[in-house]
Amino acid sequence: MRDAGSGAFGEGMDKLRSKRGVALLSAFIVMVTLSTVALAFLSMVKDDIKRNGTEQADQQAYYIAKAGLAKARWALTTSGQAVGWGETDTVFGTGTYTVTTTDNGDSTYTIISEGYIPNDTNPIARRRVEQRNTSVAMSALTNLCLGATAAASSTRGG
């Protein structure tokens, strides 16, 4: 014997189950989509961090090479160093530099400096700077800063 209301009740349950199934499937699709977007974002962040680290090491190597260049110019103009002067694997900050000077034959020199992070054996970054036709006559120039007075329009800190 069948109840008069059981047919309508059974059909209502089937519709409710069908709606729950659609909702579950929709929630699953949304979760997969959000997970994919999150993974893509994390991958982009990881790549950006790696690239920034590489750029920072490259910039440090450049400034270390510039320090080697400045040391060579100083040695040529103040210490009277001559042809073939150089330094190898000189530690500077977080890296090293190697610098050489070459006589151009016309009273000028070529200075080549290479900066490495962390060193030239296993560099993660390497930069080379070069200065051509450097004159040693610069040693006759007067240092205008010696004995000069300095003033500041503002100060910061102690």
Side-chain angles (χ1 to χ4, degrees):
M1 183 163 214
R2 219 171 109 165
D3 188 11
S6 68
F9 180 73
E11 288 176 17
M13 286 299 288
D14 288 340
K15 287 182 181 179
L16 184 60
R17 286 185 186 133
S18 175
K19 287 182 181 179
R20 283 185 184 167
V22 169
L24 182 61
L25 183 61
S26 298
F28 180 73
I29 290 171
V30 168
M31 290 302 292
V32 168
T33 303
L34 289 175
S35 296
T36 303
V37 169
L39 287 174
F41 180 73
L42 288 175
S43 177
M44 287 177 12
V45 168
K46 183 186 83 166
D47 291 344
D48 193 40
I49 289 171
K50 184 177 178 181
R51 185 177 55 251
N52 284 339
T54 302
E55 288 173 2
Q56 183 180 14
D58 187 57
Q59 189 175 30
Q60 286 175 334
Y62 171 75
Y63 285 114
I64 289 171
K66 291 288 279 185
L69 186 82
K71 173 86 181 273
R73 283 194 349 236
W74 172 82
L76 287 171
T77 57
T78 61
S79 301
Q81 299 292 334
V83 181
W85 179 87
E87 293 181 340
T88 303
D89 294 331
T90 302
V91 176
F92 189 86
T94 58
T96 62
Y97 67 80
T98 297
V99 62
T100 57
T101 61
T102 306
D103 188 350
N104 294 333
D106 59 355
S107 298
T108 63
Y109 293 86
T110 297
I111 304 169
I112 299 172
S113 179
E114 293 180 305
Y116 306 95
I117 298 292
N119 55 46
D120 66 340
T121 306
N122 297 310
I124 58 171
R126 175 180 174 251
R127 288 294 297 267
R128 176 184 170 132
V129 292
E130 192 171 317
Q131 187 173 44
R132 298 178 184 269
N133 302 322
T134 301
S135 174
V136 295
M138 289 189 293
S139 62
L141 297 176
T142 303
N143 186 345
L144 299 176
C145 295
L146 290 177
T149 306
S153 60
S154 64
T155 60
R156 184 174 183 192

